[in-house]
Amino acid sequence: MGSKRAELAEPAIAAWRPARAVFVAAFALVLLFLTLFSAYGHVPGAAVAALVLPAVLTPTLIAGAAVGVLAVGRFAAEASTRGRLTYGALGGLPVGLLAMGGMLLAYHSGPSVAYVAVTVAVAGVLGGLTAAGSPVSAIAAGAAAGVLASAIGLLVAYFQNDLVDFFGNQETVGSMADASYRLQLTASIVSGIAGGAMAFGYLRRTGLALPWPSYPLAGAIPGLFTLGAALVGWLGGLPLSNAVAKESEFDAAIIANRLPEQVNHGLILLFAGAFVAMILVGRTIKRS
C-alpha cells in the first residue's frame, strides 16, 4: 500500500520540478549580473537611478521566479499553497539581496537610496512568489522566455547608436525621435515573438501533458514581469522621483514620460508572446 501511494505521488512531485529549471535559473542570474554590471559606473545621480531602476527590476523578477521554481521543487513539491509561497519567497530573497547589493554599488550616495534598495530586494521576493503558481512548468518556461526577451533588450541597448542610424536617424531631432520609436517598437515585437517561441519550445521539451492555456500563459509571462517591474518601480521610485523633481523639472518630466514607454513595451511583450505561443501549440493539436 505504501509503495503504491509513493508511486502515485511521484508524478505530482515531478510536476513541480520542471526539466532544465537549473539552466533557466543560471541564465537568469547571468542576465541579472550583466544588467547590474552595465549599470555600475553609469548612475551618477538620482535622475539616472530613476531611469535605470525599472531595467534592473525586470531581470530581478525573472531571476527571482527562476530560483523560486528551484526552491519550490526542492523543498515544497508536496507542500500546500502556503508552503509553496513561503519557499518561493525564500528562493527569491537571495536574488533580491544580490540585486540590491549591485544597485547600491551603482547608486549609493544620492537621495532615497534606502527606498531604491528595498524596492529591488522586494522585486526578488515577488518574483519568487510566482513560483507557487500552477503549472510551475509554465512559470519556468515564462522565466526562460523572459531571459531571452531581456537579452535581446540588452543587445539593442548596446548597439543602440548603430541601430538608430539603421532605422533612419538623419542627425535631426525629428528623425532621431522617429528612428528611436521605430527601433523600440521593432525590438518589443521581436522580443515578444522570440519569448513566445522560447516558452513554447521549453514546454514541449518537458514532455508533460499540459492544457493548451499553459502555453499562452508562459508566453505572456515576460510581458507580465515587465509590467510588474514598471509598477514596482513606479511605487518604490516615488520618493526618488520626488527628489528629482525638486532638483530639475525637466529630468522629472523625462522620468514621467518613460513610464508609458515601459507599459507599452510590456503590453507588446505580453500579447505578442501569448499569441505566438498559442499559434505554435495550436499547430500541434490534432484535429478530430
Side-chain angles (χ1 to χ4, degrees):
M1 181 70 70
S3 61
K4 184 178 293 186
R5 184 176 300 174
E7 291 177 0
L8 293 175
E10 284 181 2
I13 296 175
W16 288 98
R17 296 172 180 173
R20 302 174 185 85
V22 173
F23 295 103
V24 175
F27 282 117
L29 290 172
V30 170
L31 172 69
L32 178 59
F33 172 79
L34 292 175
T35 304
L36 293 171
F37 181 78
S38 65
Y40 180 73
H42 296 85
V43 188
V48 179
L51 293 174
V52 168
L53 182 59
V56 173
L57 292 176
T58 300
T60 302
L61 285 168
I62 294 170
V67 177
V69 168
L70 294 180
V72 170
R74 177 65 178 84
F75 300 106
E78 297 181 278
S80 62
T81 301
R82 180 180 297 180
R84 292 196 297 270
L85 286 170
T86 299
Y87 281 100
L90 290 175
L93 179 59
V95 175
L97 295 177
L98 172 65
M100 180 184 72
M103 193 63 188
L104 286 175
L105 286 175
Y107 178 69
H108 54 270
S109 59
S112 305
V113 171
Y115 289 100
V116 172
V118 171
T119 299
V120 175
V122 168
V125 175
L126 292 176
L129 287 173
T130 64
S134 180
V136 73
S137 295
I139 308 300
V147 170
L148 179 58
S150 297
I152 292 174
L154 279 179
L155 287 174
V156 170
Y158 185 79
F159 295 103
Q160 183 169 6
N161 292 334
D162 295 331
L163 290 172
V164 168
D165 291 340
F166 176 78
F167 277 91
N169 177 29
Q170 301 295 329
E171 302 300 333
T172 63
V173 175
S175 65
M176 185 177 294
D178 291 340
S180 297
Y181 172 76
R182 288 192 289 267
L183 173 60
Q184 291 172 3
L185 179 61
T186 302
S188 297
I189 294 173
V190 171
S191 298
I193 292 173
M198 171 63 80
F200 167 78
Y202 182 95
L203 287 179
R204 291 291 292 179
R205 291 180 68 85
T206 62
L208 297 174
L210 298 171
W212 74 264
S214 301
Y215 289 83
L217 170 63
I221 283 177
L224 293 173
F225 280 150
T226 302
L227 293 173
L231 177 61
V232 173
W234 177 71
L235 292 174
L238 281 176
L240 185 61
S241 299
N242 292 334
V244 172
K246 293 178 181 179
E247 298 178 1
S248 171
E249 293 184 0
F250 179 75
D251 289 343
I254 292 177
I255 294 170
N257 289 333
R258 286 296 300 273
L259 182 60
E261 295 177 3
Q262 296 159 9
V263 172
N264 288 339
H265 176 62
L267 289 174
I268 293 173
L269 283 180
L270 190 156
F271 288 109
F275 181 76
V276 168
M278 182 175 63
I279 293 299
L280 290 175
V281 72
R283 291 175 60 86
T284 66
I285 298 176
K286 296 181 180 180
R287 297 179 181 179
S288 56

